[in-house]
């Protein structure tokens, strides 16, 4: 049951994971497990226990706090990325290397890509836009902003959007279809905009990512470079999981205007507080340029049974996922806000 408005300060709990993961990378040993336990075990429980609520009515003070939050995430993400490299360089082939990479990859999927999603809707070449690019570079996924803004948003919930999974498609199949298809879409978008050959935006991003890996390989070791690639793979896995649950089973004709019924909503507090209100996804698709603190639940939008953390483990088991979610998929259009 949805209750009153939450205080804006609750969004500060989103800093817990990056601080814990950064600290685990620094401490080493069993402490590298702390981020994995926190995000994959504790957060799903908190998702269920936190209940649902509505975002704060933001005051001037609250707005200043929330506006600063993505920048703090960028700083912490840089710290996590740097300490991962340091930990791998110290530990070499030890088990802590892989755990630190997994833990850091979880943070990159949260603090890097979610924040890049928020900042990536800024005007190109602004400071916020460049910070989004920096975050995506740590995830080795620089084509995301181009594909997300210019393909996903216009084509959401249609067969033309690789990130929108049709009803009945298992997450694992969606994963292997969506990742290469989004890269190809981004490449084609760059070509259609006149950026061909060496001017292709996606090609340049790929070259920059390869350069970073090459620098790590030559300056430190191939092992460090390999672990950084693995960590980025974890982050992309999380991104595709989120894409999957945000639009699974929802469809529209390409001529139909985008409406709230074309994205799943969750008002679960813990996911909202720690993911910059990303679970209020219908509102984001109706107004992509709005900052996260101005998003609000939309009456009549399809609603997930819990938050993004709570759905993670069920999503990995397709029969369980389908039994839980398929009955919730809207069968008839409802009258709701349109773009």
């Amino acid at each position: 049951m949805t209750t009153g408005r939450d205080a804006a300060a609750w969004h500060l709990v989103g800093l817990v994971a990056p601080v814990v993961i950064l600290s685990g990378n620094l401490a080493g040993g069993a402490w590298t497990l702390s981020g994995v336990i926190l995000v994959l075990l504790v957060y799903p429980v908190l998702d269920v226990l936190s209940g649902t609520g509505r975002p704060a009515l933001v005051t001037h003070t609250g707005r200043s706090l929330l506006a600063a939050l993505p920048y703090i995430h960028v700083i912490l993400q840089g710290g996590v990325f740097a300490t991962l490299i340091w930990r791998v360089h110290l530990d070499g082939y030890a088990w802590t290397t892989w755990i630190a990479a997994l833990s850091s990859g979880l943070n990159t999927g949260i603090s890097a890509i979610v924040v890049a999603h928020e900042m990536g809707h800024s005007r190109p070449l602004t400071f916020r836009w460049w910070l989004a690019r920096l975050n995506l570079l740590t995830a080795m996924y620089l084509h995301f902003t181009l594909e997300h803004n210019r393909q996903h948003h216009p084509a959401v919930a249609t067969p033309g959007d690789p990130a929108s999974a049709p009803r009945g498609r298992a997450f694992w199949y969606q994963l292997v279809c969506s990742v290469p298809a989004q890269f190809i879409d981004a490449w084609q978008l760059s070509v259609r905009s006149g950026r061909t050959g060496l001017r292709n935006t996606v090609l340049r991003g790929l070259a920059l990512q390869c350069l970073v890996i090459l620098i790590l390989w030559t300056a430190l070791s191939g092992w460090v470079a390999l672990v950084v690639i693995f960590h980025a793979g974890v982050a992309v896995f999380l991104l595709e999981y989120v894409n999957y649950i945000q639009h699974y089973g929802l469809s529209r004709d390409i001529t139909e205007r985008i409406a709230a019924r074309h994205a799943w909503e969750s008002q679960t507090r813990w996911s909202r507080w720690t993911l910059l209100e990303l679970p209020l996804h219908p509102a984001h698709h109706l107004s992509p340029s709005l900052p996260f603190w101005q998003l609000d639940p939309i009456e009549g939008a399809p609603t997930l049974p819990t938050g993004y953390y709570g759905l993670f483990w069920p999503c990995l088991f397709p029969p369980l996922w389908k039994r839980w979610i398929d009955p919730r998929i809207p069968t008839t259009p409802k009258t709701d806000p349109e773009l």
Side-chain angles (χ1 to χ4, degrees):
M1 179 178 179
T2 301
T3 56
R5 297 273 181 174
D6 303 329
W10 277 112
H11 287 86
L12 290 173
V13 299
L15 301 177
V16 171
V19 168
V20 167
I21 292 168
L22 190 155
S23 301
N25 287 349
L26 288 173
W31 288 106
T32 57
L33 282 165
S34 56
V36 177
I37 294 170
L38 181 70
V39 174
L40 297 184
L41 298 179
V42 177
Y43 275 16
V45 175
L46 291 176
D47 237 9
V48 175
L49 296 181
S50 64
T52 60
R54 294 170 65 88
L57 293 173
V58 181
T59 63
H60 176 73
T61 302
R63 186 166 62 250
S64 300
L65 169 68
L66 296 176
L69 201 54
Y71 297 94
I72 300 172
H73 274 284
V74 171
I75 295 169
L76 289 173
Q77 168 60 19
V80 168
F81 188 73
T83 55
L84 169 64
I85 294 172
W86 180 75
R87 174 53 50 198
V88 176
H89 186 58
L90 284 182
D91 290 4
Y93 299 96
W95 66 270
T96 52
T97 290
W98 291 108
I99 297 300
L102 174 58
S103 184
S104 300
L106 294 173
N107 189 74
T108 298
I110 299 172
S111 280
I113 296 181
V114 172
V115 171
H117 169 265
E118 172 73 16
M119 291 182 160
H121 282 284
S122 305
R123 186 164 52 87
L125 304 182
T126 60
F127 182 60
R128 284 171 58 85
W129 184 88
W130 280 113
L131 286 180
R133 305 292 290 165
L134 179 62
N135 261 15
L136 290 173
L137 180 59
T138 65
M140 303 294 151
Y141 219 60
L142 281 169
H143 63 279
F144 170 76
T145 300
L146 174 62
E147 198 282 337
H148 179 83
N149 291 2
R150 292 177 52 189
Q151 180 67 23
H152 172 66
H153 271 270
V156 66
T158 72
D161 176 32
S164 296
R167 180 173 183 160
R169 178 178 288 179
F171 167 67
W172 300 103
Y173 183 63
Q174 172 67 9
L175 181 68
V176 299
C177 292
S178 180
V179 172
Q182 289 181 66
F183 182 85
I184 293 169
D185 276 353
W187 187 286
Q188 293 175 341
L189 283 165
S190 186
V191 170
R192 288 200 295 270
S193 68
R195 294 181 176 273
T196 58
L198 295 178
R199 297 177 62 245
N200 187 293
T201 305
V202 179
L203 177 61
R204 290 184 175 186
L206 185 60
L208 179 58
Q209 291 164 189
C210 290
L211 178 62
V212 170
I213 296 301
L214 181 61
I215 290 172
L216 292 174
W217 190 297
T218 55
L220 296 173
S221 70
W223 182 244
V224 172
L226 179 63
V227 170
V228 167
I229 293 172
F230 170 77
H231 128 279
V234 173
V236 173
F237 179 89
L238 277 189
L239 167 63
E240 293 308 318
Y241 156 70
V242 168
N243 278 337
Y244 180 79
I245 67 171
Q246 285 175 335
H247 301 288
Y248 169 79
L250 306 177
S251 62
R252 70 181 177 95
D253 187 89
I254 192 62
T255 61
E256 183 184 358
R257 294 174 69 86
I258 297 171
R261 63 179 174 270
H262 299 132
W264 289 97
E265 179 177 276
S266 173
Q267 297 181 39
T268 303
R269 287 191 174 99
W270 195 259
S271 286
R272 286 184 29 248
W273 293 340
T274 58
L275 298 173
L276 302 184
E277 299 292 355
L278 190 64
L280 301 182
H281 209 57
H284 170 68
H285 271 277
L286 292 176
S287 302
S289 61
L290 280 183
F292 72 92
W293 63 84
Q294 291 183 14
L295 300 177
D296 219 11
I298 297 179
E299 186 176 354
T303 304
L304 293 169
T306 187
Y308 288 13
Y309 302 103
L311 290 172
F312 179 76
W313 292 109
C315 182
L316 302 187
F317 299 92
L320 175 60
W321 171 260
K322 293 173 187 177
R323 282 200 299 269
W324 201 13
I325 303 300
D326 281 14
R328 295 173 172 267
I329 298 174
T331 55
T332 56
K334 298 179 180 180
T335 301
D336 54 10
E338 295 185 346
L339 186 64

